Amino acid sequence: MLNTKFPDYKFNFDLEDCDKILRVENVNGTLKINDIINFLLGAEIVVEILKE
């Protein structure tokens, strides 16, 4: 779903981590974080932003 909606982004799920971390990178450099969050919330997926 994410790759279809955001084709310029690279998504990586860390399934070995207990929190199932999603990492997102845009090959063009800019992320539209609110768009990603709203998309995931619309799919009833719990979202929390972690700071680096």
Side-chain angles (χ1 to χ4, degrees), residues 4 7 9 18-19 21-22 31 33 40 51:
T4 300
Y9 291 18
C18 66
D19 294 322
I21 301 295
L22 168 64
L31 290 176
I33 294 172
L40 294 172
K51 298 189 183 212

Side-chain angles (χ1 to χ4, degrees), residues 7-20:
D8 291 337
Y9 291 18
K10 289 173 49 180
F11 297 96
N12 178 314
F13 284 97
D14 186 351
L15 298 177
E16 293 182 16
D17 185 282
C18 66
D19 294 322
K20 311 296 188 253

